[in-house]
Amino acid sequence: MSKQLDSRMLRDAFGAFPTGVVAVAASIEGRLVGLAASSFTSVSLEPPLVSLSVAKGSTTWPELRRAEHLGVTVLAEDHGALCRQLSGPAQQRFTGVAFEITDRGAVMLAEGIAQYDCTIRDEFEGGDHVIVLLELHAVAQRPGQPLIFHRSEFARLA
C-alpha cells in the first residue's frame, strides 16, 4: 500500500467507490441556480436528513445556500449529458431541461428517479469541501435506475 497521498492518487482511489449523481437546484429571485453533485448520501430517518459535499471553490454554492428550499433530484441512468450540462456554464445549465418549481423555490428535475425538497440544517468544514446537512420536507420517487459515477466516468447498473 502506498503511503504517498498526492491529489491525483487520492482522486483515483476515491473514484474506485461508485456513487449516484444528484442535481441540487433552486429558484432564487426568479433565476434558476443549480449544480451536479456525486457526494450525496442518506444520513438519518428520524429526523429525515441527507448530506452532500460541495467544493469550497464553487461559485454556485454561495448562491444556492441563500434559497429558502433546495430541490435535490437523483439523476436517472440516461442523464449523463444532463449531468455534464449542470456542471457547465451557469447560464446554460437549465436550457432544454424539464423541471418543476415548488412554492418555496425548490427546483425538481422532471425525469429524476427521486426528488427531495430540503432546507439547509447545518454546514461543516471538510477540508477543501463544505459538508452540507439537509433536512427533508417532502420526497417523491418514480421507477428507474440511477446514473452511476465511477472512476470519473458515467456508468449504469448491470
PDB file of all heavy atoms in Angstrom, residues 96-115:
ATOM      1  N   GLY A  96     -33.378  23.625 -22.049  1.00  0.00           N
ATOM      2  CA  GLY A  96     -33.998  22.400 -22.550  1.00  0.00           C
ATOM      3  C   GLY A  96     -34.313  21.360 -21.485  1.00  0.00           C
ATOM      4  O   GLY A  96     -34.682  20.237 -21.805  1.00  0.00           O
ATOM      5  N   VAL A  97     -34.189  21.719 -20.212  1.00  0.00           N
ATOM      6  CA  VAL A  97     -34.412  20.780 -19.109  1.00  0.00           C
ATOM      7  C   VAL A  97     -35.825  20.963 -18.563  1.00  0.00           C
ATOM      8  O   VAL A  97     -36.221  22.088 -18.233  1.00  0.00           O
ATOM      9  CB  VAL A  97     -33.378  21.002 -17.982  1.00  0.00           C
ATOM     10  CG1 VAL A  97     -33.660  20.090 -16.799  1.00  0.00           C
ATOM     11  CG2 VAL A  97     -31.965  20.796 -18.496  1.00  0.00           C
ATOM     12  N   ALA A  98     -36.580  19.861 -18.441  1.00  0.00           N
ATOM     13  CA  ALA A  98     -37.917  19.921 -17.847  1.00  0.00           C
ATOM     14  C   ALA A  98     -37.778  19.907 -16.326  1.00  0.00           C
ATOM     15  O   ALA A  98     -37.037  19.091 -15.772  1.00  0.00           O
ATOM     16  CB  ALA A  98     -38.750  18.728 -18.321  1.00  0.00           C
ATOM     17  N   PHE A  99     -38.483  20.815 -15.659  1.00  0.00           N
ATOM     18  CA  PHE A  99     -38.382  20.912 -14.201  1.00  0.00           C
ATOM     19  C   PHE A  99     -39.677  21.468 -13.637  1.00  0.00           C
ATOM     20  O   PHE A  99     -40.523  21.995 -14.354  1.00  0.00           O
ATOM     21  CB  PHE A  99     -37.202  21.794 -13.787  1.00  0.00           C
ATOM     22  CG  PHE A  99     -37.271  23.192 -14.337  1.00  0.00           C
ATOM     23  CD1 PHE A  99     -37.976  24.184 -13.663  1.00  0.00           C
ATOM     24  CD2 PHE A  99     -36.656  23.515 -15.533  1.00  0.00           C
ATOM     25  CE1 PHE A  99     -38.060  25.472 -14.177  1.00  0.00           C
ATOM     26  CE2 PHE A  99     -36.734  24.798 -16.059  1.00  0.00           C
ATOM     27  CZ  PHE A  99     -37.433  25.778 -15.374  1.00  0.00           C
ATOM     28  N   GLU A 100     -39.816  21.358 -12.329  1.00  0.00           N
ATOM     29  CA  GLU A 100     -40.915  21.964 -11.586  1.00  0.00           C
ATOM     30  C   GLU A 100     -40.311  22.795 -10.469  1.00  0.00           C
ATOM     31  O   GLU A 100     -39.276  22.432  -9.917  1.00  0.00           O
ATOM     32  CB  GLU A 100     -41.802  20.888 -10.963  1.00  0.00           C
ATOM     33  CG  GLU A 100     -42.525  20.015 -11.955  1.00  0.00           C
ATOM     34  CD  GLU A 100     -43.342  18.928 -11.263  1.00  0.00           C
ATOM     35  OE1 GLU A 100     -43.593  19.035 -10.035  1.00  0.00           O
ATOM     36  OE2 GLU A 100     -43.704  17.976 -11.941  1.00  0.00           O
ATOM     37  N   ILE A 101     -40.982  23.880 -10.136  1.00  0.00           N
ATOM     38  CA  ILE A 101     -40.548  24.726  -9.026  1.00  0.00           C
ATOM     39  C   ILE A 101     -41.639  24.676  -7.961  1.00  0.00           C
ATOM     40  O   ILE A 101     -42.803  24.947  -8.247  1.00  0.00           O
ATOM     41  CB  ILE A 101     -40.312  26.186  -9.471  1.00  0.00           C
ATOM     42  CG1 ILE A 101     -39.289  26.255 -10.601  1.00  0.00           C
ATOM     43  CG2 ILE A 101     -39.867  27.042  -8.283  1.00  0.00           C
ATOM     44  CD1 ILE A 101     -39.094  27.642 -11.192  1.00  0.00           C
ATOM     45  N   THR A 102     -41.256  24.318  -6.733  1.00  0.00           N
ATOM     46  CA  THR A 102     -42.232  24.289  -5.646  1.00  0.00           C
ATOM     47  C   THR A 102     -42.570  25.722  -5.229  1.00  0.00           C
ATOM     48  O   THR A 102     -41.875  26.675  -5.616  1.00  0.00           O
ATOM     49  CB  THR A 102     -41.687  23.528  -4.422  1.00  0.00           C
ATOM     50  OG1 THR A 102     -40.625  24.284  -3.830  1.00  0.00           O
ATOM     51  CG2 THR A 102     -41.206  22.132  -4.799  1.00  0.00           C
ATOM     52  N   ASP A 103     -43.593  25.867  -4.416  1.00  0.00           N
ATOM     53  CA  ASP A 103     -43.980  27.204  -3.965  1.00  0.00           C
ATOM     54  C   ASP A 103     -42.927  27.853  -3.075  1.00  0.00           C
ATOM     55  O   ASP A 103     -42.959  29.058  -2.851  1.00  0.00           O
ATOM     56  CB  ASP A 103     -45.339  27.180  -3.261  1.00  0.00           C
ATOM     57  CG  ASP A 103     -45.378  26.263  -2.054  1.00  0.00           C
ATOM     58  OD1 ASP A 103     -44.447  25.467  -1.849  1.00  0.00           O
ATOM     59  OD2 ASP A 103     -46.365  26.360  -1.301  1.00  0.00           O
ATOM     60  N   ARG A 104     -41.966  27.075  -2.598  1.00  0.00           N
ATOM     61  CA  ARG A 104     -40.876  27.639  -1.783  1.00  0.00           C
ATOM     62  C   ARG A 104     -39.559  27.740  -2.550  1.00  0.00           C
ATOM     63  O   ARG A 104     -38.513  27.984  -1.982  1.00  0.00           O
ATOM     64  CB  ARG A 104     -40.688  26.799  -0.532  1.00  0.00           C
ATOM     65  CG  ARG A 104     -41.916  26.911   0.361  1.00  0.00           C
ATOM     66  CD  ARG A 104     -41.505  26.778   1.757  1.00  0.00           C
ATOM     67  NE  ARG A 104     -42.530  27.296   2.644  1.00  0.00           N
ATOM     68  CZ  ARG A 104     -42.671  26.872   3.864  1.00  0.00           C
ATOM     69  NH1 ARG A 104     -41.876  25.939   4.344  1.00  0.00           N
ATOM     70  NH2 ARG A 104     -43.597  27.390   4.635  1.00  0.00           N
ATOM     71  N   GLY A 105     -39.611  27.487  -3.865  1.00  0.00           N
ATOM     72  CA  GLY A 105     -38.456  27.714  -4.711  1.00  0.00           C
ATOM     73  C   GLY A 105     -37.542  26.532  -4.966  1.00  0.00           C
ATOM     74  O   GLY A 105     -36.533  26.673  -5.651  1.00  0.00           O
ATOM     75  N   ALA A 106     -37.859  25.349  -4.438  1.00  0.00           N
ATOM     76  CA  ALA A 106     -37.052  24.161  -4.733  1.00  0.00           C
ATOM     77  C   ALA A 106     -37.303  23.754  -6.178  1.00  0.00           C
ATOM     78  O   ALA A 106     -38.447  23.707  -6.630  1.00  0.00           O
ATOM     79  CB  ALA A 106     -37.416  23.015  -3.791  1.00  0.00           C
ATOM     80  N   VAL A 107     -36.243  23.478  -6.910  1.00  0.00           N
ATOM     81  CA  VAL A 107     -36.358  23.072  -8.309  1.00  0.00           C
ATOM     82  C   VAL A 107     -36.105  21.572  -8.403  1.00  0.00           C
ATOM     83  O   VAL A 107     -35.052  21.086  -7.976  1.00  0.00           O
ATOM     84  CB  VAL A 107     -35.357  23.854  -9.199  1.00  0.00           C
ATOM     85  CG1 VAL A 107     -35.361  23.317 -10.621  1.00  0.00           C
ATOM     86  CG2 VAL A 107     -35.705  25.343  -9.183  1.00  0.00           C
ATOM     87  N   MET A 108     -37.089  20.857  -8.958  1.00  0.00           N
ATOM     88  CA  MET A 108     -37.002  19.402  -9.139  1.00  0.00           C
ATOM     89  C   MET A 108     -36.966  19.102 -10.632  1.00  0.00           C
ATOM     90  O   MET A 108     -37.818  19.588 -11.386  1.00  0.00           O
ATOM     91  CB  MET A 108     -38.227  18.705  -8.541  1.00  0.00           C
ATOM     92  CG  MET A 108     -38.585  19.153  -7.159  1.00  0.00           C
ATOM     93  SD  MET A 108     -37.389  18.606  -5.963  1.00  0.00           S
ATOM     94  CE  MET A 108     -38.234  19.062  -4.471  1.00  0.00           C
ATOM     95  N   LEU A 109     -36.000  18.303 -11.062  1.00  0.00           N
ATOM     96  CA  LEU A 109     -35.932  17.913 -12.461  1.00  0.00           C
ATOM     97  C   LEU A 109     -36.984  16.840 -12.729  1.00  0.00           C
ATOM     98  O   LEU A 109     -37.125  15.873 -11.967  1.00  0.00           O
ATOM     99  CB  LEU A 109     -34.538  17.415 -12.814  1.00  0.00           C
ATOM    100  CG  LEU A 109     -33.393  18.398 -12.524  1.00  0.00           C
ATOM    101  CD1 LEU A 109     -32.100  17.916 -13.148  1.00  0.00           C
ATOM    102  CD2 LEU A 109     -33.713  19.804 -12.972  1.00  0.00           C
ATOM    103  N   ALA A 110     -37.735  17.000 -13.803  1.00  0.00           N
ATOM    104  CA  ALA A 110     -38.918  16.189 -14.066  1.00  0.00           C
ATOM    105  C   ALA A 110     -38.627  14.700 -14.234  1.00  0.00           C
ATOM    106  O   ALA A 110     -39.449  13.876 -13.866  1.00  0.00           O
ATOM    107  CB  ALA A 110     -39.645  16.722 -15.299  1.00  0.00           C
ATOM    108  N   GLU A 111     -37.503  14.335 -14.770  1.00  0.00           N
ATOM    109  CA  GLU A 111     -37.257  12.927 -15.077  1.00  0.00           C
ATOM    110  C   GLU A 111     -36.325  12.230 -14.098  1.00  0.00           C
ATOM    111  O   GLU A 111     -35.839  11.138 -14.375  1.00  0.00           O
ATOM    112  CB  GLU A 111     -36.727  12.793 -16.504  1.00  0.00           C
ATOM    113  CG  GLU A 111     -37.744  13.251 -17.529  1.00  0.00           C
ATOM    114  CD  GLU A 111     -37.239  13.103 -18.944  1.00  0.00           C
ATOM    115  OE1 GLU A 111     -36.161  12.500 -19.148  1.00  0.00           O
ATOM    116  OE2 GLU A 111     -37.925  13.600 -19.846  1.00  0.00           O
ATOM    117  N   GLY A 112     -36.092  12.828 -12.948  1.00  0.00           N
ATOM    118  CA  GLY A 112     -35.256  12.178 -11.947  1.00  0.00           C
ATOM    119  C   GLY A 112     -35.975  11.003 -11.319  1.00  0.00           C
ATOM    120  O   GLY A 112     -37.206  10.923 -11.350  1.00  0.00           O
ATOM    121  N   ILE A 113     -35.222  10.078 -10.740  1.00  0.00           N
ATOM    122  CA  ILE A 113     -35.865   8.896 -10.142  1.00  0.00           C
ATOM    123  C   ILE A 113     -36.242   9.118  -8.685  1.00  0.00           C
ATOM    124  O   ILE A 113     -37.006   8.333  -8.124  1.00  0.00           O
ATOM    125  CB  ILE A 113     -35.011   7.621 -10.315  1.00  0.00           C
ATOM    126  CG1 ILE A 113     -33.671   7.744  -9.611  1.00  0.00           C
ATOM    127  CG2 ILE A 113     -34.839   7.305 -11.790  1.00  0.00           C
ATOM    128  CD1 ILE A 113     -32.909   6.430  -9.549  1.00  0.00           C
ATOM    129  N   ALA A 114     -35.750  10.173  -8.070  1.00  0.00           N
ATOM    130  CA  ALA A 114     -36.188  10.576  -6.734  1.00  0.00           C
ATOM    131  C   ALA A 114     -35.995  12.083  -6.624  1.00  0.00           C
ATOM    132  O   ALA A 114     -35.080  12.646  -7.229  1.00  0.00           O
ATOM    133  CB  ALA A 114     -35.409   9.852  -5.644  1.00  0.00           C
ATOM    134  N   GLN A 115     -36.890  12.707  -5.867  1.00  0.00           N
ATOM    135  CA  GLN A 115     -36.829  14.146  -5.669  1.00  0.00           C
ATOM    136  C   GLN A 115     -37.009  14.435  -4.185  1.00  0.00           C
ATOM    137  O   GLN A 115     -37.867  13.824  -3.538  1.00  0.00           O
ATOM    138  CB  GLN A 115     -37.943  14.841  -6.459  1.00  0.00           C
ATOM    139  CG  GLN A 115     -37.862  14.597  -7.945  1.00  0.00           C
ATOM    140  CD  GLN A 115     -39.126  15.053  -8.651  1.00  0.00           C
ATOM    141  OE1 GLN A 115     -40.228  14.979  -8.106  1.00  0.00           O
ATOM    142  NE2 GLN A 115     -38.968  15.519  -9.873  1.00  0.00           N
TER     143      GLN A 115
END
